[in-house]
């Protein structure tokens, strides 16, 4: 069993369950029960028996210690400031069992990539325009470009995870348009598990 923190509409669940058929249960953790219920009805009815839900604020969470085999989170980091990211790193270290794995992926600023300007134009102009024209009432993309450039990448969060005693590594995806913090909670007496990832 594991947690999807700030789960939203559960975009990662089909991929996670397909890649890891041994996973019996994913517990979605999010502030919005209504969004979760709508996502279950529209997107995840066929896997509802493998998805649980906890309405919870990850920045003030009482999730039980050592209760998860894995922790994942997609595209929630960029909205957090440094202190909030530190709290998220602390929560991750607390809820993971020894040997448990984690992976956080976030839209990032691909500094140094020659197509960076085009990518940022897509985030800051194209996506919000599509949202205004086709997804009336939605507000998911309005600030995505600003959040992503302010966030930079996941390197600082990797350092925060390491400060909590986790074996964490930094990875790039799509030329740095997304970055990943992944790894595992050490098992006493085990070798370094930096290469472990979901």
């Amino acid at each position: 069993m594991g947690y999807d923190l700030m789960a939203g509409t559960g975009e990662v669940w089909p991929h996670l369950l397909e890649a890891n058929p041994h996973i019996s249960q994913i517990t979605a953790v999010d502030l919005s029960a209504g969004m979760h219920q709508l996502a279950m009805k529209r997107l995840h009815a066929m896997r509802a028996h493998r998805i649980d839900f906890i309405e919870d604020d990850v920045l003030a969470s009482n999730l039980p210690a050592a209760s998860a085999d894995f922790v994942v989170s997609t595209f929630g980091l960029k909205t957090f400031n440094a202190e909030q990211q530190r709290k998220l790193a602390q929560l991750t270290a607390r809820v993971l069992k020894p040997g448990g794995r984690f992976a956080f992926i976030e839209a990032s600023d691909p500094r140094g990539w020659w197509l960076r300007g085009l990518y940022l134009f897509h985030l800051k102009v194209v996506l919000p325009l599509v949202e205004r024209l086709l997804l009336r009432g939605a507000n998911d993309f309005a600030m995505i470009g600003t959040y992503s450039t302010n966030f930079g990448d996941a390197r600082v969060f990797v350092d925060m995870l390491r400060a909590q005693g986790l074996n964490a590594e930094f990875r790039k995806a799509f030329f740095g348009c997304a970055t990943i913090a992944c790894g595992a909670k050490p098992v006493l007496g085990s070798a370094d598990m930096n290469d472990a990832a979901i």
Side-chain angles (χ1 to χ4, degrees), residues 71 73 77 102-106 154-155 157-159 161 168-171 179-183 197:
V71 170
S73 185
L77 273 177
F102 61 87
F104 293 78
I105 186 168
E106 186 53 80
R155 293 175 206 267
F157 187 60
V158 166
D159 290 338
L161 292 164
E169 67 173 284
F170 171 80
R171 295 182 184 178
T179 54
I180 302 163
C182 60

Side-chain angles (χ1 to χ4, degrees), residues 30-131:
D30 200 275
L31 279 171
S32 176
M35 180 169 57
H36 173 78
Q37 291 164 3
L38 190 60
M40 293 302 296
K41 181 178 178 180
R42 292 185 176 179
L43 303 173
H44 303 292
M46 74 294 296
R47 60 186 68 89
H49 63 289
R50 298 175 74 182
I51 308 296
D52 197 6
F53 177 73
I54 295 175
E55 186 172 3
D56 193 21
D57 178 359
V58 297
L59 299 178
S61 178
N62 290 315
L63 292 173
S67 57
D69 298 303
F70 64 89
V71 170
V72 297
S73 185
T74 55
F75 309 114
L77 273 177
K78 64 182 174 294
T79 62
F80 284 179
N81 62 34
E83 181 56 31
Q84 291 169 328
Q85 289 182 36
R86 192 171 292 107
K87 288 181 179 178
L88 186 61
Q90 291 170 348
L91 175 65
T92 302
R94 182 171 62 79
V95 301
L96 279 173
K97 299 175 183 177
R101 300 175 180 180
F102 61 87
F104 293 78
I105 186 168
E106 186 53 80
S108 303
D109 185 349
R111 296 183 180 115
W113 186 39
W114 67 283
L115 288 176
R116 175 178 180 259
L118 186 61
Y119 169 71
L120 293 180
F121 178 79
H122 176 74
L123 288 187
K124 294 184 177 183
V125 178
V126 175
L127 284 181
L129 179 61
V130 168
E131 184 174 64

